[in-house]
Amino acid sequence: MTHKIPLNHPRASSLIIREKLIDGFNRGIVVPQGLIAHGRGEAFDYLLGEKTTKYAYNAEKVAVCILLLSDKSTISINGNTAALGAKDLVKLSYVTKSRIEVNLFHRSVARSNAIARILRKEGSHEVLGVHTKAKSIIYGISSNRKFVDKEGIMDSDTVLVALEDGDRTESLVSMGKKVISVDLNPLSRTAIASNVTIIDNIMRAIPNMIRLSEQLVKKQKSYLQSLIKNFDNKENIRNSLLIIKKGI
Ligand code: PTJ
């Protein structure tokens, strides 16, 4: 870490997250814009009380059910997610049998490779979306996020995206895919367009999802299906907004 944060500092956990991103930036994983994006997320997190709300936990549970029931699922990784939780994201990919794909807004071969190296170091056997593999195009997206791997995002029925606000979710949903998003901003386009929106910090959401996967994988398929059926994403977003309102 760039600066050592005293653990008894009242804002220690928030400061540690910042340091992880600065570290990622210094290693060429996070773009400068990622530091700004973090600031926006941090503001929402502050208003949410910096804890997983019961609505976020419910969304995490339903998201895990969808991942476990999917034929093919892919976890999309960008610079910020790699810097904040590569190890947990790799673990989640194993417990939910999902693939991992690097997909960047500020795309460059050097960054893709650096992120893939981290994911491999954390135990991922196959990282998609790197080298010349991300050649399939999702039409309707103007950013570089349109370049996806045929064997990953393109071929999946479920995609987990995190820390992005853009048009990709809308396009993926219109292609008939289920999109799970992790986004602290309940008003972002990604949050609104997703099938399941997890309004939680990725640092809490992914460890929760790993634990939930380990429990839910032992349950009957019909139980997982009933949790999905009873979930109302719009209602869940509204409830999270009420918590934010209360925070204000
Ligand atoms: O690595 P790249 O090139 O793919 O670029 C990544 C960034 C993050 C720069 C890019 O995706 C971007 O510009 O994102 P946005 O449009 O700023 O959206 C980021 C969203 O993530 C915002 O809605 C934030 O509120 C949210 N966010 C930020 N930090 C967290 C978060 N959500 C969950 N956990 C966080 N720690």
Side-chain angles (χ1 to χ4, degrees):
M1 240 190 284
T2 317
H3 294 287
K4 202 161 164 40
I5 306 295
L7 292 177
N8 61 353
H9 189 289
R11 307 279 312 139
S13 59
S14 170
L15 297 178
I16 289 168
I17 298 177
R18 285 186 182 180
E19 289 302 317
K20 276 180 184 281
L21 285 164
I22 292 166
D23 218 44
F25 172 70
N26 289 336
R27 287 189 291 153
I29 291 156
V30 174
V31 281
Q33 294 86 338
L35 303 178
I36 299 167
H38 177 72
R40 175 161 38 183
E42 217 181 45
F44 282 105
D45 207 13
Y46 194 79
L47 296 174
L48 282 164
E50 293 173 336
K51 56 179 192 289
T52 301
T53 67
K54 65 175 176 182
Y55 305 109
Y57 192 73
N58 195 27
E60 285 156 12
K61 196 184 237 182
V62 171
V64 165
C65 292
I66 294 176
L67 287 171
L68 291 174
L69 293 180
S70 294
D71 287 331
K72 280 185 172 181
S73 52
T74 298
I75 300 175
S76 182
I77 308 281
N78 67 15
N80 284 49
T81 57
L84 290 176
K87 190 180 185 141
D88 284 335
L89 286 158
V90 169
K91 186 150 190 217
L92 184 67
S93 80
Y94 278 112
V95 290
T96 60
K97 297 193 169 58
S98 302
R99 284 157 298 174
I100 284 230
E101 175 168 343
V102 179
N103 180 281
L104 303 176
F105 185 81
H106 306 278
R107 195 165 181 248
S108 82
V109 174
R111 276 186 76 221
S112 297
N113 287 342
I115 293 168
R117 262 197 306 278
I118 291 179
L119 295 167
R120 286 195 202 97
K121 192 169 154 253
E122 296 299 353
S124 184
H125 293 311
E126 192 185 18
V127 180
L128 301 172
V130 277
H131 306 304
T132 52
K133 290 194 78 208
K135 273 208 295 213
S136 296
I137 291 177
I138 299 178
Y139 290 98
I141 304 180
S142 49
S143 77
N144 277 331
R145 278 199 281 243
K146 68 181 169 210
F147 296 109
V148 294
D149 199 312
K150 192 161 72 65
E151 287 156 39
I153 290 170
M154 195 56 131
D155 193 35
S156 291
D157 51 359
T158 302
V159 184
L160 188 150
V161 304
L163 275 77
E164 64 177 58
D165 179 7
D167 44 10
R168 187 160 70 129
T169 297
E170 287 157 10
S171 296
L172 291 172
V173 169
S174 71
M175 287 165 81
K177 300 181 191 298
K178 289 200 175 60
V179 178
I180 297 162
S181 65
V182 182
D183 191 340
L184 279 161
N185 177 6
L187 301 170
S188 77
R189 279 182 306 164
T190 295
I192 304 281
S194 300
N195 300 95
V196 177
T197 309
I198 297 169
I199 302 163
D200 200 2
N201 198 313
I202 193 164
M203 301 289 292
R204 298 186 297 266
I206 304 300
N208 285 346
M209 289 173 77
I210 293 168
R211 279 191 297 276
L212 283 162
S213 300
E214 286 163 351
Q215 294 158 14
L216 289 167
V217 76
K218 298 176 195 145
K219 302 276 184 196
Q220 298 260 335
K221 210 171 156 182
S222 57
Y223 175 73
L224 307 191
Q225 280 161 342
S226 72
L227 291 182
I228 298 170
K229 197 165 162 258
N230 292 323
F231 179 74
D232 181 339
N233 199 46
K234 294 272 178 282
E235 180 71 17
N236 217 48
I237 293 175
R238 266 194 295 275
N239 284 327
S240 301
L241 277 167
L242 289 176
I243 293 186
I244 290 174
K245 197 175 155 202
K246 224 171 136 194
I248 293 169

